[in-house]
């Protein structure tokens, strides 16, 4: 009897675990492709999810499958790539269509009932090869400056 109650509780509470459209991971690095996993719950008590479409804001490029169609009372999951040239926060627009024709637009602020999933992109970091090039340029300039200084003393 206890096992049956635990299973029943898990089935009832499982949909509540997903409160909104969410992405994972929520952070990425600029100029690097990142694989995102989107979960979109069916929150309607009477209708099934029949479509999901993800749209990127300006500055963020998505690749792969960003749309889903079918029929489910569970969770829709999509995996796709994302890349941004610059750091910043990029709010994805997720449109969820239900079998009764209603649409949920997951594009609101974090405090709303329909918050947009946000990808936080960290600015590009300079790698060691950039530092080496900078050091070579500085050394060349210093060398030229010293050589010009010696030349002008001879004159």
């Amino acid at each position: 009897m206890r096992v049956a109650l635990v299973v029943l509780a898990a089935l009832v509470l499982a949909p509540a675990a997903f409160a909104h459209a969410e992405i994972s991971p929520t952070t990425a690095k600029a100029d690097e492709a990142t694989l995102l996993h989107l979960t979109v719950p069916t929150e309607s008590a009477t209708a099934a999810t029949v479509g999901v479409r993800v749209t990127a804001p300006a500055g963020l490029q998505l690749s792969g499958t960003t749309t889903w169609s079918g029929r489910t009372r569970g969770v829709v999951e999509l995996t796709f790539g994302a890349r941004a040239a610059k750091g910043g926060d990029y709010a994805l627009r997720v449109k969820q269509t239900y079998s009764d024709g209603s649409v949920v637009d997951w594009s609101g602020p974090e405090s709303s009932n329909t918050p947009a999933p946000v990808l936080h992109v960290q600015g590009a970091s300079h790698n060691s090869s950039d530092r080496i090039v900078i050091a070579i340029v500085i050394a060349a300039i210093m060398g030229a400056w010293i050589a010009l200084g010696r030349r002008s003393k001879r004159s």
Side-chain angles (χ1 to χ4, degrees):
M1 180 70 167
R2 278 192 173 150
V3 173
L5 287 175
V6 170
V7 170
L8 180 61
L11 290 173
V12 170
L13 296 176
F18 294 101
H20 304 296
E22 298 177 348
I23 57 167
S24 177
T26 58
T27 59
K29 291 183 181 178
D31 276 336
E32 288 186 16
T34 302
L35 194 62
L36 298 180
H37 183 76
L38 173 75
T39 56
V40 183
T42 298
E43 294 184 336
S44 173
T46 58
T49 297
V50 295
V52 172
R53 185 177 74 225
V54 183
T55 307
L60 182 68
Q61 296 176 340
L62 301 181
S63 60
T65 304
T66 57
T67 60
W68 176 89
S69 61
R71 186 176 189 88
T72 185
R73 300 265 317 135
V75 176
V76 173
E77 298 181 5
L78 291 171
T79 301
F80 50 88
R83 173 181 237 132
K86 296 180 181 178
D89 292 339
Y90 295 89
L92 299 174
R93 183 175 180 180
V94 180
K95 224 172 209 189
Q96 179 179 20
T97 305
Y98 284 99
S99 57
D100 64 3
S102 62
V103 175
V104 175
D105 193 357
W106 297 99
S107 62
E110 188 176 342
S111 61
S112 73
N113 289 334
T114 56
V118 177
L119 181 64
H120 306 284
V121 177
Q122 301 166 351
S125 61
H126 298 289
N127 60 28
S128 60
S129 65
D130 290 343
R131 291 184 186 134
I132 291 170
V133 169
I134 291 169
I136 291 171
V137 169
I138 290 173
I141 291 171
M142 294 290 288
W145 182 61
I146 290 170
L148 287 174
R150 288 182 181 170
R151 231 186 216 177
S152 64
K153 286 182 182 179
R154 289 182 188 168
S155 306

